[in-house]
Amino acid sequence: MRKKPIYMRLLKIIGIGLLCILTLEVCARVDDWAKWDADFFEPYSADLLSTVDTNGFHSKPNAKYQKWSINSFGFRGKGITKEKPEDRKSTRLNSSHTDISRMPSSA
């Protein structure tokens, strides 16, 4: 029996390695699709939640990644309305603080 050349064995090992990596990637994408309804052919990471534009770095409205979702105003959580419902009352607490430890003492 004749031995295969070294480059053929090396090519076979590289091919099997690439096939294993491809299989793991497909399994991860199928899992994200089944669990989180992620796009199969698009990148899926926490970068989907934020954006950078002329206003700077902020949350992207209506974005969703795994268990996190951003509402239409760019805040985490369920959607909110701009107007306050009639049955809701607001309480506002204000406080002021003066640090007297740095005031000069009278001698």
Side-chain angles (χ1 to χ4, degrees):
M1 186 170 163
R2 206 170 97 178
K3 231 179 170 182
K4 289 184 181 177
I6 188 87
Y7 68 90
M8 288 301 287
R9 286 187 278 167
L10 189 61
L11 191 61
K12 185 177 180 180
I13 290 171
I14 291 172
I16 290 172
L18 288 175
L19 184 63
C20 289
I21 291 171
L22 180 66
T23 301
L24 291 173
E25 180 66 25
V26 168
C27 288
R29 288 183 181 258
V30 166
D31 182 49
D32 286 344
W33 171 77
K35 196 171 190 179
W36 307 111
D37 195 28
D39 289 332
F40 191 79
F41 295 106
E42 296 292 323
Y44 191 62
S45 70
D47 295 337
L48 295 172
L49 295 175
S50 60
T51 186
V52 178
D53 59 13
T54 57
N55 296 327
F57 180 80
H58 59 89
S59 297
K60 189 184 300 181
N62 300 316
K64 191 171 97 173
Y65 173 70
Q66 292 187 356
K67 65 180 182 180
W68 298 281
S69 62
I70 308 295
N71 63 26
S72 59
F73 289 104
F75 298 107
R76 261 188 343 196
K78 296 178 183 176
I80 56 175
T81 60
K82 209 168 192 175
E83 290 79 29
K84 184 176 74 169
E86 292 292 325
D87 61 341
R88 184 167 296 163
K89 295 183 181 183
S90 297
T91 304
R92 184 174 176 178
L93 299 174
N94 290 327
S95 73
S96 63
H97 176 76
T98 304
D99 188 4
I100 60 170
S101 63
R102 296 184 186 254
M103 294 180 88
S105 61
S106 57

